Amino acid sequence: MDQDKNAILELIERETTAFLNRDFDAWAECWVHDEAVRRLAALTGGVTDYQEGWATGSDAIRNIFEKFPLPNPEAARSIRR
C-alpha cells in the first residue's frame, strides 16, 4: 500500500511541476494518451473545466502554455501537497 501511495504522490509531483514549468512533454508523460481520459479542473472564480479524451485535453493544456508561457519554478517548489 505504501508503495502505491508513494508512486501516486510522485506522479502528482511530476505532473504539477511539469505544468508549472510549462514543460509539455514532461507533463504529457504523466497522462494516459487515450480517448477514455477525462479531466476535470477547478479554476479561479469557481469555474470548472471538463475535457474528454486525450486529444481535447492535451490541446487545452497546449493552449494554456501558449497563452501563459512563463514558467514558474518557484511555485512548483513551494506548493504544499
Side-chain angles (χ1 to χ4, degrees):
M1 180 73 153
D2 285 338
Q3 190 174 13
D4 289 342
K5 180 180 175 181
N6 289 337
I8 291 166
L9 291 173
E10 190 268 320
L11 178 63
I12 291 169
E13 176 76 26
R14 284 191 304 123
E15 192 268 355
T16 303
T17 299
F19 180 87
L20 292 169
N21 285 323
R22 299 304 193 246
D23 184 341
F24 183 85
D25 292 334
W27 175 85
E29 288 177 11
C30 299
W31 285 84
V32 174
H33 298 204
D34 190 277
E35 291 310 302
V37 168
R38 306 292 184 261
R39 182 176 166 273
L40 180 63
L43 308 173
T44 57
V47 175
T48 57
D49 180 54
Y50 176 74
Q51 301 291 329
E52 200 169 312
W54 167 251
T56 302
S58 63
D59 286 348
I61 296 301
R62 279 187 202 277
N63 290 335
I64 290 170
F65 287 8
E66 288 173 9
K67 189 173 181 178
F68 306 101
L70 186 63
N72 193 344
E74 183 57 38
R77 285 189 295 274
S78 66
I79 288 178
R80 183 175 175 189
R81 294 168 180 81

